[in-house]
Amino acid sequence: MTTLTHTLKQSIKRPLKAALNLSRDWRGAHRKRAAEPTLWVLMYHRVLPADDPRCETEEPGMVVTPETFRMHLQEIQRWMPVVALGDWVQRFEAGEAMPEKACAITFDDGWLDNYQYAYPELKQQGLVASIFAVADRVGQAAPFWPNRIADLVLRQSPLLHQHPVLAPAAQLLGQPYSREAVSACIQTLKQHSEDTLNAALNSLGDATGSAQGTTPDLMPWPALQELDASGVFAVGSHTCTHRRLNHANSPEQRHAEIVDSRQRLEQQLGHEVPLFCFPNGDYDEASLTLVREHYQAAVTTKNGLNRVSSLDLHQLNRIGVHEGNSRTTRQLRARLSGLG
Ligand SMILES: [Zn+2]
């Protein structure tokens, strides 16, 4: 019965979604002359082949395949030039004439797969992108709590259900295991701070051991330095530990995440790091003020385009793209439309 209801729902939802995408595509800002200079900023996380085992411990909304990424780059260029985010910001601040439309490509977290799959594709197509690295997590395996949760689920560990912080969210997992259910579980856990979640996971002891393997999920410094030196990628800061910068932070934590991360990256890269990215798109006024003081510009996860008349360089909107929402050219154009 459940399966039947699900199938029925899908058979209604799919054509509706397709019609909506068609409408957005044809009415979208990407097709029209822009009344004022407009910047699109696309947000990517991971680029992984569908059969890569690393997909297993990742939320579906975090991944595109290399084939989809290639298609995206080709399709974007039909509608607007791809620019480096830092260059666009620089030109804007200098009061230069701005392109009518431009698209900046951004990657969050600094995943090793970006080096393996996005870098060659960008190089091949002669394009540039930004990558926001987590300064204290560079070169680490299973660096973030969502990946550790996914790893426990994948191994069907009963421990998740036994911990008082993790158990309520673990109820959402159901059987059989699905990546969507893991996503729902992770979303629920976001009500807790990183400190609480990491402490909960650490208290499980060796149970999360396999998530701490020797193969890094985040690219190591030499790879990040190579990307940075190549001119294909510009490295920006995504804090020291990926702590969400919301009201729960102490002034010391806030300062460490925002200011120290910049210093650490600059020491490793040998030049200024003027761009910042808010983890999970979460921040409060105090964090924003500090980011304004220490960075030239910052990106959020707020969906939308950036028009110069209403621009805030430290709260730039982005468009999240992943396999689930932009696997076809039409779906991608619906995302580029600025209509939702
Ligand atoms: Zn992130």
Side-chain angles (χ1 to χ4, degrees), residues 2-288:
T2 314
T3 315
L4 187 65
T5 314
H6 179 74
T7 313
L8 204 62
K9 269 190 186 162
Q10 289 303 108
S11 67
I12 296 166
K13 258 169 126 179
R14 276 204 199 106
L16 278 178
K17 189 74 193 163
L20 189 64
N21 283 339
L22 180 68
S23 163
R24 284 178 175 161
D25 176 11
W26 283 101
R27 295 182 298 121
H30 60 292
R31 289 184 184 271
K32 297 177 183 163
R33 279 196 68 84
E36 56 177 308
T38 304
L39 176 69
W40 281 249
V41 184
L42 294 192
M43 172 176 65
Y44 290 92
H45 287 86
R46 311 195 65 170
V47 183
L48 287 167
D51 60 356
D52 192 302
R54 287 172 286 183
C55 288
E56 292 293 327
T57 51
E58 199 46 85
E59 297 174 77
M62 296 276 285
V63 182
V64 289
T65 64
E67 297 76 27
T68 298
F69 183 60
R70 177 179 307 144
M71 175 276 279
H72 280 193
L73 297 182
Q74 288 163 347
E75 184 63 25
I76 293 161
Q77 292 178 89
R78 287 183 60 201
W79 307 101
M80 61 194 85
V82 171
V83 296
L85 179 59
D87 289 349
W88 192 95
V89 167
Q90 199 90 40
R91 283 179 68 171
F92 178 75
E93 288 228 298
E96 290 179 26
M98 303 304 289
E100 180 197 329
K101 298 185 217 175
C103 181
I105 312 276
T106 65
F107 287 88
D108 288 11
D109 306 331
W111 299 96
L112 179 62
D113 52 73
N114 296 174
Y115 177 85
Q116 295 170 300
Y117 296 107
Y119 179 37
E121 195 54 47
L122 286 159
K123 205 154 56 168
Q124 167 94 20
Q125 297 200 36
L127 300 177
V128 289
S130 297
I131 188 163
F132 294 104
V134 183
D136 288 358
R137 297 283 184 266
V138 171
Q140 282 195 357
F144 308 125
W145 64 264
N147 305 99
R148 296 174 70 184
I149 296 283
D151 180 70
L152 283 168
V153 176
L154 190 67
R155 290 187 289 120
Q156 300 188 321
S157 165
L159 287 164
L160 271 183
H161 297 269
Q162 291 163 14
H163 195 284
V165 167
L166 308 175
Q171 297 299 327
L172 300 169
L173 290 168
Q175 287 290 336
Y177 155 80
S178 82
R179 288 168 70 204
E180 287 71 21
V182 178
S183 249
C185 172
I186 287 167
Q187 288 306 319
T188 304
L189 286 170
K190 282 182 182 173
Q191 64 183 291
H192 302 292
S193 71
E194 265 77 17
D195 288 345
T196 304
L197 292 164
N198 284 321
L201 284 161
N202 291 340
S203 77
L204 302 181
D206 288 337
T208 53
S210 82
Q212 310 294 320
T214 49
T215 310
D217 286 328
L218 294 183
M219 73 180 81
W221 284 115
L224 202 58
Q225 285 156 337
E226 184 188 330
L227 290 194
D228 186 66
S230 72
V232 173
F233 277 95
V235 177
S237 167
H238 198 30
T239 70
C240 285
T241 69
H242 208 267
R243 190 190 295 276
R244 284 168 278 146
L245 297 171
N246 54 20
H247 59 276
N249 305 123
S250 70
E252 293 75 24
Q253 281 177 340
R254 204 179 291 127
H255 192 274
E257 295 289 355
I258 295 169
V259 184
D260 296 358
S261 62
R262 175 175 179 157
Q263 286 168 355
R264 233 155 276 177
L265 288 167
E266 289 180 345
Q267 277 163 10
Q268 290 288 340
L269 301 171
H271 60 75
E272 286 199 358
V273 172
L275 300 179
F276 184 81
C277 173
F278 293 99
N280 206 49
D282 290 332
Y283 56 95
D284 57 9
E285 272 307 311
S287 305
L288 182 58

